[in-house]
Amino acid sequence: MATEDNNVPDHRMCATMEVHNRLLEEFPECRARRAEISAALEATLSENPSFRRSCGLTTIPVVVHVAYNNDTENIPDGQVTSQIDALNRDYRANNSDIGNVPTVWKDLAQDPMIEFVLATTDPDGNPTDGITRTQTDQTSFGQDDSVKSAASGGADPWPSDKYLNIWVCTLSGGLLGYAQFPGMPPATDGVVILNTAFGTTGTATAPFNMGRTTVHEVGHWLDLRHIWGDTNNCSGTDFVDDTPNAQLPNFGKPTFPHVTCSNDPNGDMFVNYMDYVDDDTMVMFTSGQIARMHATLEGSRSSIGT
């Protein structure tokens, strides 16, 4: 839950899987599309488990839609650019705290070779700073995608095959954010982030003030799953071989090793961006996760980025 005075949840909660399951019910045709995407990913990665795009670095244009009810929620440009900087820090493995990766996993913590830039041209070809601002009568948004539509008090997306849409708003229910996997409805494609967990300046508030909620959610947008596989009985999978099987999400700041699911001696990879730990504790993507993101950019998201 969030504390009432500052809208900062006391632990990480992401609604990506709940949103995904809802969309599968609402749009049954997406089931077949997701099956195709998953089969193509599996084929690419079975042929080359360390797949990397031949182009090397991929640069993705971003539009940030700020939906605000009051002046505090209308976060400054500097807070937006601090988030882009944080994405580029972590998706290029330039984060100084990558040194916190336990020795057993250091070789897996590699450079994803993905960069992000605020869009400079809008869908009509006009110059833009890559930020839209929408004053709304909504005091908060839930996980129902209402922030993604002007008709429900939010902001309409820019074409999701050309831009990564990020909506920033006040979220209810203790949520930090949620994302959409590739192959789901284009009209809602993108990520949603709580305004007090966005960027590293302004209203960004500890323990979610290092921009890593967006790092986590963009991981989902690039078809990464939570490292425990979203079950509680060790049967889940994130479809990545070099992330240890884990029973449940880790919260806060665990100490190494945290053993579950017979994954001793090293335990859960709670330092991974796709767990639920605090911002200052998640510090790495693995080689296998990077391969999955690259295969996604080569496949289901090949229309975006340069």
Side-chain angles (χ1 to χ4, degrees):
M1 291 297 294
T3 53
E4 289 182 13
D5 56 339
N6 61 6
N7 193 34
V8 180
D10 55 19
H11 65 263
R12 187 174 305 281
M13 194 163 77
C14 152
T16 294
M17 287 308 297
E18 290 83 351
V19 170
H20 181 60
N21 291 329
R22 170 178 60 79
L23 290 172
L24 289 176
E25 294 300 319
E26 291 180 13
F27 303 93
E29 66 275 13
C30 289
R31 289 184 183 274
R33 177 75 183 124
R34 280 297 300 169
E36 289 173 12
I37 288 170
S38 298
L41 263 182
E42 191 175 319
T44 297
L45 296 173
S46 61
E47 186 175 320
N48 182 2
S50 301
F51 179 83
R52 298 292 188 270
R53 301 190 85 184
S54 58
C55 60
L57 184 69
T58 300
T59 302
I60 295 173
V62 178
V63 55
V64 175
H65 306 286
V66 179
Y68 65 97
N69 177 264
N70 57 53
D71 290 344
T72 303
E73 296 171 341
N74 189 18
I75 60 173
D77 288 0
Q79 187 170 346
V80 176
T81 56
S82 77
Q83 179 60 71
I84 301 299
D85 292 343
L87 284 169
N88 290 330
R89 173 198 69 205
D90 292 344
Y91 278 88
R92 291 306 314 275
N94 283 328
N95 51 309
S96 59
D97 54 5
I98 202 168
N100 297 341
V101 175
T103 304
V104 292
W105 297 318
K106 282 193 186 301
D107 289 347
L108 296 176
Q110 299 173 7
D111 178 359
M113 294 290 289
I114 303 169
E115 288 189 350
F116 302 84
V117 293
L118 284 170
T120 55
T121 306
D122 75 9
D124 296 322
N126 299 314
T128 179
D129 61 1
I131 304 170
T132 75
R133 297 182 181 277
T134 301
Q135 186 157 20
T136 178
D137 58 3
Q138 301 296 311
T139 55
S140 68
F141 293 90
Q143 60 189 50
D144 59 358
D145 288 329
S146 56
V147 73
K148 301 175 181 179
S149 170
S152 48
D156 293 334
W158 290 9
S160 54
D161 60 338
K162 300 299 180 190
Y163 302 89
L164 165 56
N165 287 273
I166 301 178
W167 288 268
V168 183
C169 61
T170 293
L171 284 169
S172 58
L175 281 182
L176 282 175
Y178 64 93
Q180 194 165 294
F181 295 120
M184 304 304 285
T188 51
D189 192 23
V191 305
V192 180
I193 308 292
L194 174 69
N195 44 32
T196 56
F198 189 75
T200 62
T201 64
T203 64
T205 305
F208 307 115
N209 60 340
M210 294 178 66
R212 283 173 168 160
T213 296
T214 308
V215 172
H216 175 104
E217 300 302 344
V218 170
H220 287 313
W221 182 80
L222 290 169
D223 221 341
L224 295 185
R225 300 296 185 103
H226 293 135
I227 60 164
W228 69 96
D230 294 285
T231 67
N232 60 5
N233 58 7
C234 299
S235 68
T237 179
D238 64 352
F239 307 101
V240 177
D241 289 341
D242 61 8
T243 57
N245 197 23
Q247 182 178 4
L248 292 163
N250 290 281
F251 298 105
K253 309 179 201 303
T255 54
F256 176 84
H258 179 237
V259 175
T260 66
C261 294
S262 304
N263 60 14
D264 51 333
N266 302 321
D268 298 353
M269 190 185 278
F270 59 80
V271 292
N272 196 283
Y273 292 125
M274 301 313 294
D275 206 344
Y276 270 7
V277 292
D278 292 347
D279 274 23
D280 62 4
T281 303
M282 50 171 62
V283 298
M284 69 174 288
F285 289 116
T286 68
S287 175
Q289 287 174 316
I290 295 166
R292 188 173 172 87
M293 292 191 285
H294 274 241
T296 297
L297 287 166
E298 192 74 8
S300 56
R301 293 217 182 271
S302 60
S303 68
I304 197 166
T306 55

